[in-house]
């Protein structure tokens, strides 16, 4: 069975600092990979996705993620964090041959210091 | 353009009772998926409906059932509620069931079982 691990439960960064959120997956083949963001009391919003091709993908709100097959990782990055980025971030995978049923990681809560 | 709408936003039930949650998909979408998000965890896939049939199901007991109507809206029913059913229930819609069809999430229904 596939699984997703987000090793960092909480991360605190200063506003303007760079950010990297880690995501590792376990799956027999390369799955489809996603990052979602959830603000308090809200649903999930898709930040970016990777299906194939260029391993560096750009998303909304200035986020990017890099797929590394050798490390089974799909880490999310942002060069300069804004206070409005404080939220919970979820990495998710979908089997590449079985539809858009997602398996989510446990999430990383990002706090931003002024 | 209305996004995914869920009702009610909050609900309190007693153990053993039954509950029905409702979801209207984003305009133009024909597929509805349901996820359960326990406090402090990532969402877990319950099931997906397409063409009024359950297409995929996660690891949830038969107490969890659903329905999709001809207008693509959907209901999630949970019978014989347990304390452990307390969670945020998220509805997501998409155009089709393929992995290339991104999910759009509603803000969820917060269910508390006492």
């Amino acid at each position: 069975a596939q699984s997703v691990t987000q090793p960092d439960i909480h991360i605190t960064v200063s506003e303007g600092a760079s950010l990297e959120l880690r995501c590792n997956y376990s799956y027999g083949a390369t799955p489809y990979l996603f990052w979602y963001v959830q603000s308090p009391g809200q649903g999930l919003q898709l930040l970016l996705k990777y299906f194939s091709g260029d391993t560096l993908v750009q998303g909304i709100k200035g986020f990017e993620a890099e797929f590394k097959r050798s490390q089974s990782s799909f880490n999310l990055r942002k060069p300069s964090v804004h206070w409005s980025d404080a939220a919970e971030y979820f990495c998710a995978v979908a089997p590449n041959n079985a539809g858009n049923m997602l398996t989510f990681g446990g999430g990383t809560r990002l706090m931003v210091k002024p | 353009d209305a996004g995914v709408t869920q009702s009610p936003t909050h609900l309190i039930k007693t153990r053993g009772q039954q509950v029905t949650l409702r979801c209207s998909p984003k305009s133009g979408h024909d597929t509805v998926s349901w996820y359960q998000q326990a406090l402090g965890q990532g969402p877990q896939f319950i099931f997906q409906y397409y063409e009024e049939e359950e297409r995929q199901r996660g690891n949830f007991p038969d107490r969890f059932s659903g329905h999709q109507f001809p207008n693509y809206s959907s209901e999630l029913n949970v019978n014989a509620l347990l304390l452990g059913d307390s969670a945020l229930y998220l509805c997501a819609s998409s155009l089709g069931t393929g992995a290339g069809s991104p999910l759009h999430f509603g803000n969820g229904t917060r269910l508390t079982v006492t």
Side-chain angles (χ1 to χ4, degrees):
Chain A
Q2 58 197 20
S3 65
V4 181
T5 301
Q6 294 179 247
D8 305 303
I9 298 174
H10 293 98
I11 282 185
T12 300
V13 299
S14 297
E15 190 168 18
S18 64
L19 171 70
E20 182 170 28
L21 303 182
R22 296 183 291 165
C23 172
N24 294 96
Y25 66 89
S26 172
Y27 186 59
T30 299
Y32 294 159
L33 298 158
F34 306 82
W35 275 98
Y36 282 84
V37 61
Q38 185 178 36
S39 299
Q42 303 292 311
L44 285 80
Q45 182 183 21
L46 179 65
L47 287 175
L48 48 77
K49 59 185 184 287
Y50 172 79
F51 291 167
S52 64
D54 192 347
T55 57
L56 185 64
V57 293
Q58 302 298 320
I60 63 172
K61 305 185 179 187
F63 286 93
E64 65 178 26
E66 185 173 12
F67 168 61
K68 292 185 177 180
R69 185 190 307 274
S70 62
Q71 299 176 19
S72 296
S73 69
F74 188 56
N75 293 350
L76 182 71
R77 301 195 294 247
K78 187 169 185 177
S80 177
V81 170
H82 187 262
W83 64 266
S84 61
D85 293 324
E88 184 114 27
Y89 291 80
F90 293 95
C91 181
V93 304
N96 59 13
N97 61 353
N100 56 3
M101 180 191 82
L102 298 181
T103 297
F104 285 87
T108 296
R109 179 162 297 279
L110 173 65
M111 291 172 280
V112 181
K113 292 190 300 185
Chain B
D1 178 20
V4 179
T5 58
Q6 294 186 242
S7 63
T9 55
H10 294 84
L11 202 52
I12 300 175
K13 290 286 188 179
T14 303
R15 272 179 302 175
Q17 286 187 317
Q18 178 264 345
V19 68
T20 297
L21 310 181
R22 295 176 176 82
C23 172
S24 293
K26 178 181 168 67
S27 178
H29 285 181
D30 57 8
T31 303
V32 172
S33 303
W34 287 92
Y35 288 78
Q36 180 196 65
Q37 186 178 18
L39 197 61
Q41 299 183 22
Q44 283 194 290
F45 175 74
I46 303 175
F47 43 53
Q48 181 180 71
Y49 277 84
Y50 173 69
E51 293 186 333
E52 302 180 50
E53 290 188 8
E54 183 182 293
R55 297 292 177 164
Q56 295 196 79
R57 188 179 183 93
N59 188 25
F60 278 81
D62 292 344
R63 297 187 298 109
F64 290 77
S65 64
H67 189 77
Q68 186 179 35
F69 299 93
N71 67 352
Y72 308 121
S73 67
S74 176
E75 290 182 348
L76 164 66
N77 301 291
V78 187
N79 294 323
L81 284 167
L82 304 174
L83 295 179
D85 295 331
S86 295
L88 180 68
Y89 288 85
L90 294 164
C91 171
S93 72
S94 59
L95 180 59
T97 61
S101 302
L103 300 181
H104 294 251
F105 284 84
N107 288 340
T109 294
R110 172 75 62 188
L111 172 64
T112 302
V113 182
T114 62

